[in-house]
Amino acid sequence: MEETIPPATPSFSQAVFAIVRKDLSAEFRSRELLSAMLVFALLVILIFNFALELDIKVRESVTAGVLWVTFAFAGTLGLNRSMAVEKDRGCLDGLLLAPVDRSALYLGKALSNLIFMLIVEAVTLPVYSLLYNVNLFQPALLLVILLGSIGYIAVGTLLAAMAIQTRTRDVMLPILLFPIVLPVLLAAVKASAGLLNGADFTEVSAPFNLLVVYDLVFIAVSLMLFEYVVEE
Amino acid sequence: MQSKPLTLKALDLVSILAMVISTYLALVFAPQEAVMGNVQRIFYFHVGTAWVAMLGFILAAVSGVVYLITKDLKWDRFELAAVEVSALFFFITICLGSIWARPAWNTWWTWDVRLTTAAVAELIFIAYLMLRQGIEDPEKRARFGAVYTLLGGLSVPVTFLVIRFFRTIHPVVIGSQSAEAEGGFNMESKMVTAMLFAILAFTVVFVDLVWHRVRLGQFAEKVEQLKLKASL
């Protein structure tokens, strides 16, 4: 087998980082995706402000929910866009022709999607803290947000690759994604709400552990399934 | 047109007979429950339909895996049949449960573990069917369907676990009872007979319907092929 592989074949990690680098540099030149996600996230918070009358009492109980709904919606927007550009300009076919493992493509796309989502969160969180005078910068809460985002993106990247190949395209992603990713959102909301209300870390360990397990299981499964989703 | 196999004809008759007997057992044979009265009789069909819906859910996920390994379209037909029939039965389960919950819990619906998980599973079924509708290529449709049932099959148990963190009022009739459950009761032996028979009857009906649906899938495929041949 070894002599059939040309010496120029990139290693797994090289392939992953090449894709991440490509996505990031394309994004920092066009700023299409991030700006759309950010504006959308801020709009969602604005709408929640009026829809829920976010006064000081309500805020205590719903902050975690508002944040996660915002991230989930903005995340769908980003996932759709990041896969659609690959499909529209035939980039996906090019990527598939590259002599790298399919799971490297998945991991690369997932990593760049995760980076976009974390950037959006990094902007949304201070804005939310500022607007509503809630301290969101607790290390444990940030860890929960990171874990929740990883789980969301792990499944989201796989399903987005599927959704863009259907006739209804963008409409399909939230319908496919939300029921599958519900455990992540519920556990993340539960853990975040506990932490925001001053609970000790040990009190939220159950949803926290579940987030870790979900992340591990679904990253593994998505890595295995991605090749079935992109093969022609 | 291949004629209906004799076994299937027999199975049709057995299913009808089993349903009649099960109805008799549930409505006449089983004694009236002391506290809830006649509305408790819904329980027998509720358990029966829930059981086959879950059976179908598991079978669909398993046949998804088998399809991805073997790439044989017969597993895809089976998977689709299992999902369609299960989706219907699960809908019936949820409706029956609601009718029972109205007098027992004084509400049609509550966000309890089992109810929420059932609703999410039903949404995954619907998303699955919508996904299939959006793809024309049968081979790709089968692949995506298999991937999605697999993800759903992994995610639903986790959803169940997550919602466990919140409280439940759903009674557990078989096994240990939680202190907060409302509407639980102890089963008398005649009730057990009626329940077990309902489970058996619905299993027979399930097998019968899935078989019919698989045959329908085979015919649909044949029609496709004939159309293709005629157009050449």
Side-chain angles (χ1 to χ4, degrees):
Chain A
M1 277 305 279
E2 267 170 21
E3 51 266 33
T4 58
I5 301 169
T9 305
S11 73
F12 190 85
S13 56
Q14 276 175 322
V16 170
F17 286 111
I19 291 169
V20 174
R21 204 164 49 233
K22 162 194 87 73
D23 274 1
L24 290 184
S25 56
E27 181 50 35
F28 288 122
R29 277 173 210 162
S30 68
R31 296 192 195 86
E32 274 178 347
L33 199 148
L34 269 177
S35 52
M37 280 169 87
L38 273 174
V39 174
F40 184 77
L42 296 179
L43 281 172
V44 172
I45 288 182
L46 187 100
I47 290 171
F48 268 125
N49 179 51
F50 294 105
L52 295 178
E53 300 279 352
L54 286 176
D55 56 40
I56 217 147
K57 265 204 181 136
V58 180
R59 234 178 282 158
E60 261 176 22
S61 54
V62 300
T63 292
V66 167
L67 283 175
W68 277 104
V69 171
T70 310
F71 297 155
F73 285 175
T76 347
L77 214 64
L79 285 170
N80 252 331
R81 185 79 201 134
S82 117
M83 275 300 172
V85 289
E86 300 286 2
K87 186 80 181 163
D88 284 347
R89 296 166 203 167
C91 303
L92 194 61
D93 298 327
L95 284 176
L96 291 177
L97 283 175
V100 293
D101 202 57
R102 295 285 150 85
S103 49
L105 300 183
Y106 166 78
L107 218 55
K109 283 310 277 183
L111 266 179
S112 52
N113 283 333
L114 181 65
I115 292 171
F116 294 143
M117 190 153 171
L118 292 179
I119 293 176
V120 171
E121 288 165 355
V123 178
T124 315
L125 287 177
V127 171
Y128 192 93
S129 309
L130 201 82
L131 288 177
Y132 298 109
N133 198 20
V134 189
N135 180 21
L136 297 172
F137 289 88
Q138 309 165 15
L141 180 66
L142 295 182
L143 188 60
V144 167
I145 291 178
L146 177 67
L147 285 175
S149 309
I150 291 175
Y152 184 85
I153 291 293
V155 185
T157 306
L158 179 71
L159 288 178
M162 233 153 84
I164 49 143
Q165 296 181 60
T166 64
R167 219 178 323 152
T168 35
R169 298 191 58 153
D170 325 41
V171 197
M172 219 42 228
L173 180 64
I175 294 173
L176 293 176
L177 178 58
F178 286 154
I180 303 284
V181 92
L182 191 75
V184 170
L185 294 180
L186 291 180
V189 167
K190 187 84 180 156
S192 318
L195 291 169
L196 280 173
N197 291 329
D200 199 47
F201 190 73
T202 47
E203 287 172 56
V204 295
S205 64
F208 185 84
N209 291 344
L210 222 126
L211 273 178
V212 175
V213 171
Y214 185 98
D215 285 3
L216 290 177
V217 169
F218 277 82
I219 289 172
V221 170
S222 306
L223 271 174
M224 286 191 287
L225 291 178
F226 190 69
E227 64 177 295
Y228 296 110
V229 168
V230 289
E231 86 186 21
E232 284 305 319
Chain B
M1 175 93 185
Q2 80 202 86
S3 60
K4 202 158 138 184
L6 198 64
T7 338
L8 185 56
K9 276 183 195 161
L11 197 63
D12 286 349
L13 281 177
V14 174
S15 339
I16 295 170
L17 202 67
M19 278 317 296
V20 171
I21 297 172
S22 182
T23 312
Y24 169 80
L25 288 180
L27 297 183
V28 183
F29 175 76
Q32 192 179 20
E33 209 272 327
V35 186
M36 283 179 282
N38 278 329
V39 76
Q40 179 268 336
R41 294 179 191 277
I42 287 175
F43 163 79
Y44 305 110
F45 279 24
H46 180 69
V47 172
T49 49
W51 151 252
V52 288
M54 246 157 53
L55 184 71
F57 197 83
I58 295 164
L59 287 178
V62 171
S63 54
V65 177
V66 178
Y67 172 76
L68 286 180
I69 296 168
T70 62
K71 295 283 160 106
D72 187 342
L73 276 176
K74 78 175 180 215
W75 290 103
D76 178 59
R77 283 194 292 268
F78 180 71
E79 178 194 288
L80 174 64
V83 170
E84 264 188 18
V85 177
S86 289
L88 177 71
F89 274 122
F90 227 12
F91 185 69
I92 297 174
T93 309
I94 294 171
C95 289
L96 288 177
S98 282
I99 296 169
W100 174 82
R102 178 72 191 149
W105 294 342
N106 198 25
T107 174
W108 296 106
W109 185 264
T110 156
W111 294 104
D112 152 85
V113 185
R114 271 153 242 261
L115 278 70
T116 315
T117 313
V120 171
E122 184 72 22
L123 282 173
I124 291 180
F125 282 144
I126 294 169
Y128 169 87
L129 295 173
M130 285 176 74
L131 172 70
R132 291 187 71 102
Q133 264 182 352
I135 309 165
E136 257 128 73
D137 176 21
E139 192 267 334
K140 187 188 249 183
R141 188 166 55 208
R143 249 191 300 127
F144 283 18
V147 168
Y148 196 68
T149 46
L150 189 56
L151 287 178
L154 282 172
S155 150
V156 166
V158 188
T159 307
F160 186 83
L161 284 177
V162 171
I163 310 171
R164 267 240 150 123
F165 301 145
F166 304 85
R167 291 163 76 196
T168 177
I169 63 167
H170 192 289
V172 181
V173 177
I174 308 152
S176 60
Q177 179 89 8
S178 96
E180 285 138 4
E182 279 172 43
F185 54 91
N186 291 320
M187 273 196 289
E188 208 202 300
S189 67
K190 277 184 172 178
M191 289 178 170
V192 176
T193 313
M195 182 191 79
L196 290 180
F197 196 84
I199 290 176
L200 177 75
F202 276 105
T203 311
V204 174
V205 174
F206 175 78
V207 173
D208 188 56
L209 288 177
V210 167
W211 193 338
H212 276 288
R213 185 62 186 87
V214 168
R215 261 167 56 86
L216 188 65
Q218 285 167 344
F219 291 144
E221 200 167 288
K222 206 170 270 174
V223 169
E224 273 315 303
Q225 283 167 358
L226 288 175
K227 265 189 198 160
L228 214 63
K229 216 179 261 174
S231 67
L232 281 176

